[in-house]
Amino acid sequence: MASHIVGYPRMGPKRELKFALESFWDGKSSAEDLQKVAADLRASIWKQMANAGIKYIPSNTFSYYDQVLDATATLGAVPQRYGWTGGEIGFDTYFSMARGNATVPAMEMTKWFDTNYHFIVPELGPDVNFTYSSHKAVDEYKEAKALGVDSVPVLVGPVTYLLLSKPAKGVEKTFNLLSLLPKVLAVYKEVIADLKAAGASWIQFDEPTLVLDLESHKLQAFTDAYAELAPALSGLNVLIETYFADVPAEAYKTLTSLNGVTAYGFDLVRGTKTLDLIKGGFPSGKYLFAGVVDGRNIWANDLASSLATLQGLEGVVGKDKLVVSTSSSLLHTAVDLVNETKLDDEIKSWLAFAAQKIVEVNALAKALSGNKDEAFFSANAAAQASRKSSPRVTNEAVQKAAAALKGSDHRRATNVSARLDAQQKKLNLPILPTTTIGSFPQTVELRRVRREFKANKISEEEYVKSIKEEIQKVVQLQEELDIDVLVHGEPERNDMVEYFGEQLSGFAFTVNGWVQSYGSRCVKPPIIYGDVSRPKPMTVFWSSVAQSFTKRPMKGMLTGPVTILNWSFVRNDQPRSETTYQIALAIKDEVEDLEKAGITVIQIDEAALREGLPLRKSEQADYLDWAVHSFRITNVGVLDTTQIHTHMCYSNFNDIIHSIINMDADVITIENSRSDEKLLSVFREGVKYGAGIGPGVYDIHSPRIPPTEEIADRINKMLAVLEKNILWVNPDCGLKTRKYTEVKPALTNMVAAAKLIRNELAK
């Protein structure tokens, strides 16, 4: 019985690629140095899979930034502003598209389906000259082959690539991106020919858009695309991989009827209804790559349950046509549990990271072929039983409190217009008030202080003194810049979710459980293993310290319950809504304590609210109902004069704007500039928004410093669709990843632009 891995984490067990990328970007190392680190990581990954007995090992899943950007490079679909003149795309052009440069902004970045991974959105139009401009796929195949691994090259499927793209600036928004399919397929044929010539016997096309609710003409595009590619693919085994949700019945019918396709991959963890479709009819003689090992969470697989599922599928597809696989790429999970030295043995026994999931996949494949490792299965069963019965998982008081929430919709008693009036009397802010989103640059010195405190190398007194000094510097800088509503810069936090998780019960933490979010940015999601509560205040001390340094309003900074949920590895033994309600109660306690401490502006970030939206429309209303309700629970008890902010970023918010309004926040700051201000279109189309709103005026994920005139132009565009008395001026997101040499001039220009427009409005 064969085994397969959809994809693997790229950063390395100790984030080796992250540090190599940042060293290269900072000019401290060469392109050759970066390529050497990348080659060593790839070799290590391929060797690991081969040693574990995996038959179908993927290549071309490694990326220096993002696999969709890699596809853009392969197709030569570089926007004109980057000045690329042809030839093989190098690092300069590649990273300019991803990050921008001194003269041009980056391409739009958005979430990869319903994950916290981000991709760079292709910008296409009728005049794009698609040319084969990056040979990465065939180069990596040859690299693996030289190491003795006959890999399966992985390409973003041509239809998914186009469906995830957007019309370039200046192209009509109604432009049919699928009309570019013939031009795109011409390049795919060249890539396929190269792979065949190099000796590839299998090729994997990732077509995850097949799990979406697609109209008939989009489904037809799959039929047309693979019919056109069929002659080029002749002689190759072709796997079409889907993941993240059930495949709808019509899409299943389209997929299993495609020309020239040998195998189909399905997510059978998040797509359990797909099992019924498979059992109802699977094409004779085709391979089923059964994704039974979860690629998106860190819980050990229930091997007995998965084996039973696989045995049931054997009768449908045939023993020799069933391949055991992961549900999706392992990109979305941590790398190796072996590196976790501080997790206690009980919790550790419940977990499996990417390296362990490879072993699980192979153990299931061996069991199916009659070589079951009884000791391995027995240890797994014991761990499953331990998790179900452990007293540390359940807190009856928390469960009762969460259950009691369902009798109310938890709305503040006064409407937002009256609250804004009361808040303005207290805060006395100017028109177009300026603020930032929360974090300020995390300097090397600041990281050193936190690291040494965690390692007990400095005392708590020394740590508190250092953090207070950092807060004072950040406050002083904001006052010098003349920002209206201040933040404390979050110097005590390495990560916004990890920080709160460390102070809540029901959470566990890793040392090296890093997961890539985008580019070199990694996060370390906490693990929610049990019922959640707040033993004591989490942020009140630092917020009070910050407020003591200024007479201007100081925001209390919290992460909202839905974002904590979506940016954690979440327990899978109860509905996600139940866990979210528990977190909401904990945040509610913190909000009320901040208010008692004199903090009059409190930001409850829900950056990941849109990210968690189910991919299937039939499931979205239920999610939005409990997600929005959870946010309202956090602040239902505050005074009218306490201003509640929230923040969202890097997703498409237009389709959930009414749910955002239903959150009933006083002010929302929201990413806008990097996505070509498409957020504003929803207001142009007539949606009325009465609360405060701050669409971001510049992109913080690029080192580029926007000039005052550009920011002023953005503000004017906002004023064309939003009332001046509700508009705020702020960056797209937090400033943690930037340097002070970038932040100071960018914020200087932002404040200058706000003042410029204020003066114009006064005239």
Side-chain angles (χ1 to χ4, degrees), residues 528-602:
I528 306 178
Y529 68 83
D531 291 332
V532 177
S533 62
R534 185 197 74 146
K536 61 182 182 181
M538 302 179 286
T539 65
V540 175
F541 173 75
W542 294 119
S543 292
S544 300
V545 165
Q547 186 64 78
S548 73
F549 292 137
T550 182
K551 292 183 179 176
R552 300 185 186 211
M554 173 63 62
K555 282 198 245 184
M557 299 300 305
L558 305 175
T559 303
V562 182
T563 296
I564 289 177
L565 180 93
N566 285 330
W567 287 357
S568 298
F569 290 126
V570 184
R571 58 189 294 190
N572 57 2
D573 58 346
Q574 72 175 14
R576 290 168 73 86
S577 56
E578 297 297 323
T579 303
T580 311
Y581 283 136
Q582 293 177 3
I583 302 169
L585 285 172
I587 300 299
K588 179 177 185 287
D589 290 344
E590 187 72 12
V591 167
E592 290 170 5
D593 280 348
L594 281 168
E595 184 182 60
K596 285 173 192 167
I599 304 299
T600 55
V601 181
I602 302 171

Side-chain angles (χ1 to χ4, degrees), residues 10 17 20 32-45 62 64 143:
R10 307 158 182 157
L17 182 62
E32 291 74 21
D33 294 331
L34 175 57
Q35 289 164 334
K36 172 72 167 57
V37 170
D40 288 347
L41 283 171
R42 287 192 296 268
S44 170
I45 290 164
F62 180 89
Y64 287 104
E143 190 181 320

Side-chain angles (χ1 to χ4, degrees), residues 369-428:
S369 59
N371 296 310
K372 185 178 180 185
D373 184 335
E374 295 292 351
F376 188 71
F377 271 70
S378 177
N380 175 266
Q384 298 292 324
S386 155
R387 187 173 163 220
K388 283 175 185 169
S389 61
S390 175
R392 68 199 298 182
V393 170
T394 307
N395 182 325
E396 283 188 26
V398 170
Q399 291 188 352
K400 282 180 185 173
L405 292 170
K406 292 170 188 174
S408 164
D409 66 356
H410 296 88
R411 289 185 183 276
R412 291 168 77 179
T414 311
N415 69 41
V416 69
S417 177
R419 297 198 309 261
L420 288 173
D421 286 345
Q423 291 155 14
Q424 179 57 16
K425 284 174 187 168
K426 186 163 189 173
L427 299 172
N428 194 29

Side-chain angles (χ1 to χ4, degrees), residues 413-482:
T414 311
N415 69 41
V416 69
S417 177
R419 297 198 309 261
L420 288 173
D421 286 345
Q423 291 155 14
Q424 179 57 16
K425 284 174 187 168
K426 186 163 189 173
L427 299 172
N428 194 29
L429 297 172
I431 288 287
L432 308 180
T434 54
T435 190
T436 63
I437 304 306
S439 60
F440 264 65
Q442 299 263 315
T443 62
V444 171
E445 174 62 17
L446 185 53
R447 292 179 190 278
R448 182 193 64 75
V449 167
R450 282 203 309 264
R451 190 169 57 248
E452 290 186 354
F453 178 58
K454 279 200 166 185
N456 295 317
K457 290 181 179 177
I458 60 173
S459 67
E460 183 173 2
E461 186 180 351
E462 290 172 299
Y463 171 74
V464 169
K465 181 174 179 288
S466 294
I467 298 298
K468 279 184 175 179
E469 287 171 356
E470 183 67 21
I471 291 172
Q472 191 164 18
K473 283 181 199 169
V474 169
V475 171
Q476 188 176 344
L477 172 62
Q478 291 171 92
E479 288 190 324
E480 287 169 2
L481 293 169
D482 204 18

